[in-house]
């Protein structure tokens, strides 16, 4: 995507300008569709660039600027999703969505290097959990757009049809197909139970206690790490609780001067590892009953800019 000056960089009160006031909604949409805050920011910038490229008469003819912006952003995301699989073939190791901290810990620096506006923060709910985003990444671009626009943002299938270039019936089928895959996720325990599992996991990991770790992991647990070729990480998933537990202890044994902290990751309990106060890895979990079923560890520094010293 071409780099262009931010068309809304000038101080503007979003409550007075309905166009710039859509920035957070656009960021929420693009992050859910792309799984990357950096790409989401690029999409929002490109969307505004296209709006401000319209003449005053053309802008005045738009009955719903917010709807126009959402439509344009959706189409840009659809194009990016179409080329994403080709880009992933060149990615080193496993690709994972970019993890997000909660609002209280959001870095003051955006992925693009400019200061973050609190209004840009992604709303953390079930539709941005790491488990949700990982399943979304397995959908086709059209399935992903149809599902997110309908189930998360409340668009009708008629409106979605105009965006993706399909019939309303086809869009209904796309969303239904995506929904079936999401239902395949295992039921998660309550939030307090999740926090307790992560606390016990942290305690066992800090102690390098293989047996304790095995007792917390589902027999079919899978651990996936994303270093992107920029940080050390296992290039392939590690499966099975014995192998995962030993891998975790091996990683801990190699680390020095590392601090592990419990933090909220994409709205759910997770872990952050820091060196000298700088975040070097973010870990998210999927739960299988009262055990841990998936472990996702993001180590690619380009995906950790939102965390900075969070």
């Amino acid at each position: 995507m071409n780099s262009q000056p931010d068309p809304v960089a000038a101080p503007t009160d979003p409550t007075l300008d309905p166009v710039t006031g859509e920035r957070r909604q656009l960021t929420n949409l693009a992050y859910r569709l792309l799984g990357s805050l950096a790409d989401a920011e690029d999409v929002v910038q490109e969307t505004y660039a296209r709006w401000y490229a319209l003449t005053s008469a053309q802008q005045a003819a738009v009955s719903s600027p917010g709807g126009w912006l959402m439509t344009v952003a959706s189409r840009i995301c659809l194009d990016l999703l179409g080329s994403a699989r080709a880009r992933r073939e060149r990615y080193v190791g496993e690709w994972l969505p970019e993890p997000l901290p909660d609002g209280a810990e959001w870095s003051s620096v955006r992925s693009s290097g400019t200061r973050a506006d609190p209004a840009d923060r992604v709303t953390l709910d079930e539709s941005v959990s790491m488990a949700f985003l990982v399943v979304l990444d397995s959908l086709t671009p059209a399935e992903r757009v149809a599902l997110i626009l309908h189930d998360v943002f409340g668009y009708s299938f008629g409106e979605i049809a105009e965006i993706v270039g399909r019939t309303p019936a086809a869009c209904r089928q796309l969303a239904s197909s995506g929904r079936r895959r999401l239902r395949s996720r295992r039921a998660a325990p309550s939030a307090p139970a999740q926090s307790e599992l992560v606390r016990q996991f942290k305690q066992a990991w800090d102690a390098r206690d293989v047996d304790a770790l095995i007792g917390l992991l589902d027999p079919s647990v899978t651990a996936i790490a994303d270093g992107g070729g920029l940080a050390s990480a296992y290039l392939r998933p590690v499966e099975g609780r014995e192998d995962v537990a030993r891998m975790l202890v091996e990683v801990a044994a190699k680390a020095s001067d590392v601090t592990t902290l419990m933090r909220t990751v994409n709205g759910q309990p997770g872990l952050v590892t820091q060196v000298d106060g700088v975040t070097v890895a973010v870990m998210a979990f999927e739960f299988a009953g009262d055990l841990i079923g998936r472990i996702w560890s993001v180590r690619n520094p380009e995906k950790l800019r939102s965390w900075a010293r969070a």
Side-chain angles (χ1 to χ4, degrees), residues 118-204:
D120 296 346
R121 293 173 182 163
V122 176
T123 302
L124 300 179
D125 58 24
E126 174 62 16
S127 67
V128 292
S129 71
M130 190 65 72
F132 189 95
L133 292 176
V134 167
V135 175
L136 280 180
D137 194 55
S138 69
L139 306 183
T140 67
E143 285 176 335
R144 191 164 182 166
V145 171
L147 179 68
I148 291 298
L149 284 176
H150 183 268
D151 288 19
V152 178
F153 291 92
Y155 275 57
S156 71
F157 289 116
E159 292 170 318
I160 297 170
E162 295 182 4
I163 293 173
V164 301
R166 308 281 185 94
T167 66
C171 291
R172 185 184 299 275
Q173 284 296 110
L174 288 170
S176 178
S177 174
R179 209 174 289 122
R180 282 195 298 271
R181 297 202 204 181
L182 289 170
R183 289 197 191 107
S184 67
R185 294 183 302 153
R186 288 172 282 191
S190 64
Q194 292 180 21
S195 295
E196 178 59 19
L197 262 176
V198 174
R199 186 194 67 77
Q200 293 178 15
F201 177 92
K202 176 185 179 303
Q203 186 176 42

Side-chain angles (χ1 to χ4, degrees), residues 238-251:
V238 179
E239 300 178 342
R241 58 185 172 188
E242 288 83 6
D243 287 346
V244 170
R246 292 191 183 94
M247 177 272 292
L248 289 166
V249 170
E250 179 183 314
V251 169

Side-chain angles (χ1 to χ4, degrees), residues 36-39 41-42 98-101 105-114 116 230 278-282 298-310:
S36 165
L37 183 62
D39 288 347
E41 290 171 349
D42 286 344
E98 181 179 341
L100 297 180
E105 297 171 349
W106 194 278
S107 169
S108 62
V109 180
R110 295 162 63 173
S111 303
S112 60
T114 59
L230 302 175
V278 178
T279 298
V280 295
V282 173
V298 180
R299 299 183 56 82
N300 184 341
E302 293 185 347
K303 296 185 178 183
L304 300 178
R305 292 172 181 170
S306 298
W307 295 81
R309 293 178 177 269

